[in-house]
Structures are given as C-alpha cells and as structure tokens.
Amino acid sequence: MDTQSIKWLRWAFNCKLWKPTAAEWLQANRCIQGEEMQRIERFVFQSPAISAMVGRLLLRKSVQTVTHLENKSIHFLRTSEGRPYLKDVNDLDVNVSHHGDWVVLALERNHQVGIDVMSLNRPINISIEEYFHLMRRQFTLSEWEQIKSADNSLHEFYRFWCLKESYVKATGVGLNLDLQKISFKVKDCLILEKLSADCFVISTEMRLDGSVEASDWLFEEKLLDSNHCVAVCTNPSPSSLSVSAVGSSTAQPQENYDSLRTNHRKQQKSFTVIPTSDLLSLETINFNVGVDAWNNFNNKTFSSR
C-alpha cells in the first residue's frame, strides 16, 4: 500500500464500553512506551487511566496505519508545553482529546491539527450562572452574547470551549495564550437531529486579536452523540511539521487559502469508531510488564464517567 495515500484520520473510541480484563490491561501496557505507562499509573481513578491508555494506543495505531511502521519504531516525545509529537516523522501531525465517554483523535499529513471533545453534562456542585461567572474571562463579549442567546446556553458554552481548545492544541502554545485574543463566530447550529457520521458544521469563523479573520485556520464541528461535541482545528497551509514549526504558520495569498478551504470542505472527514481489538493488535514493545501493572489499575478508585 502507498503510505502517502492516507492524508487524514478521524477516530473515536467510547471508553464507557470498555471494562478492561487483566489480560487486556496487561496487553495494552505492553503496547506503549515505558514512560507512557508510568504516566498512566499515576492516575488515582480508573476512568481517567482508561482514557489516557486509549489515547496512547490511538496515537500509536493511527501512526502505524498511515506509515506502516512497526510499533517499536514509533516514538513519541513531548514539547515543553506537554504536546506529544513524533520523533523523526516530520510530515504528520496527530492529536488526541478525551472527556466524558469518548477519546477522539485527528491526524493530518502536512497540516497542523488539534482536536477537543467535551461532555455536555451540567457542572457539578455549582449553578450554571456561577459557572459562567467563573469562566467569564475566557470568552470575548461577542462570544458571551452568542452563548447566552442560544437555545441551550450551557451546550453552546461547551461548543465554544471546544473550539478554543482545538485551536490551542493545534498551535501547541498551551496555557500561554490569552483566550480573549481568539474569538469565534458560529453561523450554524449543532442539532441533535443531525447525528449522521458525515454531518459537520464547517462554517464557523475565528478572529485573532478582535480584528482580522484568521482565514488560515479551519474548524470542523459535530456531535459524537447526544451528549458530546467535538471540534477539529486544521491549518490547511502545506508546511513542515517539525516541533519548531508547531504554533506558527506561513502567510499565504488569500486566493491560495480560498482554494485550500474549498478542497478541505469537500473531503467530509467522518469519524470512525475504533474497536478495542484494533488497539490491542499493536505489537509488544514493553516487555517489562508484569502483574503489578494490573494490580496498580485494579486498586485504583472506580468512578463513573
């Protein structure tokens, strides 16, 4: 198979449906790097440990699917902001997110990409009004107007948060970015009646510093189910994806961006739900996994999602 033939991936995994057995958890640990296993062992609760494990497995499986590299040849490092990136593979960008029931992944060849998923549940032990007040500085006045005028303000809030996080994760700038410097204008609703795999909102626009529309960034939005929204941010400008390039982009003539945006929107980047068996089919690379790995997980506190 031509390894250049796959240009992108959109994957999702429903963690609520996976209750790992001892054999499955041990095999999952054998498929990831030792430092990844150590990170996961530090979680106190089972649910975030499962989500983190799925995220690591999705990253590795997606890269293997696109490059056909052996698992032992796939090595992830992290930037100073904690963003995972591939060592010695400069033409791929891949990003994961997890919240609620879902772990999601977006991969692009030659383009920066970021993804975020949010559960639409009500905040715990705090009213919506108090929650909005607590988060008031994270959104512009224009965004708050759109959020509070929506039929469901809480769901719209999560939608805007998802958009912001997808951009932050695509650029790799982490918490250093003032979120009031990016402002979104949504033009179409995310509605529950349109949950088909190929139904996306792609009309949302972003402005930087309140003035110039950031036309070089594109956003895909959809509902994974009735209680989870997802946003993918992509820079369609062809560029090197070395670590030094993450967070930057080269200005292109407007007509080039218009063409890139048009081509991007024609691709219908639907999400594929990945089964557990696919993730656990990765080859073993961590041979120092014993029963202690299962005991560590099994002794964690169970928490519902």
Side-chain angles (χ1 to χ4, degrees):
M1 182 185 291
D2 178 10
T3 58
Q4 297 292 316
S5 62
I6 300 177
K7 304 296 184 184
W8 58 269
L9 292 174
R10 300 289 185 271
W11 284 359
F13 184 97
N14 192 331
C15 290
K16 190 175 182 179
L17 303 180
W18 188 32
K19 306 282 192 297
T21 64
E24 288 176 332
W25 191 253
L26 292 174
Q27 175 58 22
N29 278 274
R30 294 183 182 114
C31 296
I32 63 175
Q33 295 163 208
E35 59 268 30
E36 297 172 323
M37 175 180 164
Q38 291 170 11
R39 281 173 172 266
I40 293 169
E41 285 183 338
R42 289 197 287 267
F43 283 100
V44 175
F45 296 98
Q46 286 188 359
S47 291
I50 291 173
S51 295
M53 176 64 78
V54 170
R56 307 315 300 178
L57 294 172
L58 283 174
L59 283 169
R60 307 187 75 83
K61 187 65 177 180
S62 67
V63 172
Q64 186 176 80
T65 298
V66 172
T67 65
H68 303 287
L69 289 170
E70 293 183 343
N71 193 24
K72 65 181 180 182
S73 299
I74 299 171
H75 192 76
F76 282 93
L77 301 175
R78 288 179 181 266
T79 66
S80 59
E81 298 295 339
R83 189 185 197 273
Y85 69 93
L86 273 167
K87 180 182 180 181
D88 299 329
V89 181
N90 293 327
D91 66 337
L92 293 180
D93 197 20
V94 60
N95 198 229
V96 294
S97 175
H98 55 83
H99 196 246
D101 297 340
W102 290 92
V103 181
V104 292
L105 172 141
L107 177 147
E108 290 281 336
R109 188 183 293 279
N110 297 319
H111 308 309
Q112 291 170 252
V113 66
I115 189 169
D116 195 60
V117 63
M118 285 293 296
S119 165
L120 304 179
N121 288 336
R122 292 176 63 93
I124 300 174
N125 298 328
I126 188 172
S127 69
I128 293 176
E129 292 74 18
E130 291 172 322
Y131 186 54
F132 282 0
H133 181 74
L134 184 67
M135 301 294 289
R136 65 192 183 282
R137 295 180 181 176
Q138 308 303 323
F139 297 92
T140 64
L141 290 177
S142 172
E143 289 174 323
W144 277 120
E145 289 174 1
Q146 295 173 80
I147 290 169
K148 292 184 177 181
S149 64
D151 290 340
N152 189 319
S153 294
L154 182 61
H155 287 189
E156 198 73 356
F157 169 90
Y158 287 137
R159 178 186 181 181
F160 273 84
W161 185 256
C162 226
L163 286 163
K164 294 211 175 200
E165 280 291 304
S166 70
Y167 174 75
V168 168
K169 294 179 71 178
T171 57
V173 296
L175 298 176
N176 294 326
L177 180 67
D178 179 0
L179 293 182
Q180 289 221 10
K181 289 187 175 182
I182 55 176
S183 183
F184 288 92
K185 181 176 179 56
V186 299
K187 297 183 177 181
D188 295 296
C189 296
L190 290 175
I191 56 177
L192 299 182
E193 288 75 13
K194 295 184 177 181
L195 283 173
S196 60
D198 60 351
C199 181
F200 294 89
V201 169
I202 53 177
S203 57
T204 296
E205 297 176 350
M206 184 184 77
R207 292 178 178 269
L208 290 173
D209 294 323
S211 56
V212 181
E213 180 185 342
S215 58
D216 50 337
W217 292 98
L218 305 177
F219 295 87
E220 311 158 27
E221 300 176 83
K222 74 175 281 83
L223 291 169
L224 286 175
D225 58 25
S226 61
N227 199 46
H228 295 80
C229 64
V230 62
V232 180
C233 171
T234 308
N235 187 330
S237 175
S239 62
S240 169
L241 286 172
S242 63
V243 179
S244 60
V246 173
S248 64
S249 60
T250 303
Q252 297 284 330
Q254 184 62 45
E255 59 269 21
N256 290 355
Y257 277 127
D258 290 343
S259 176
L260 288 166
R261 289 167 71 91
T262 299
N263 291 335
H264 182 90
R265 288 176 173 176
K266 287 179 179 178
Q267 293 183 48
Q268 293 290 343
K269 299 182 178 181
S270 303
F271 276 82
T272 299
V273 177
I274 304 299
T276 308
S277 57
D278 280 12
L279 297 184
L280 298 182
S281 67
L282 287 160
E283 313 96 279
T284 294
I285 60 171
N286 187 355
F287 293 92
N288 298 318
V289 176
V291 69
D292 286 349
W294 168 250
N295 291 336
N296 174 278
F297 172 77
N298 200 39
N299 290 332
K300 294 182 187 298
T301 302
F302 173 80
S303 61
S304 59
R305 294 181 176 276

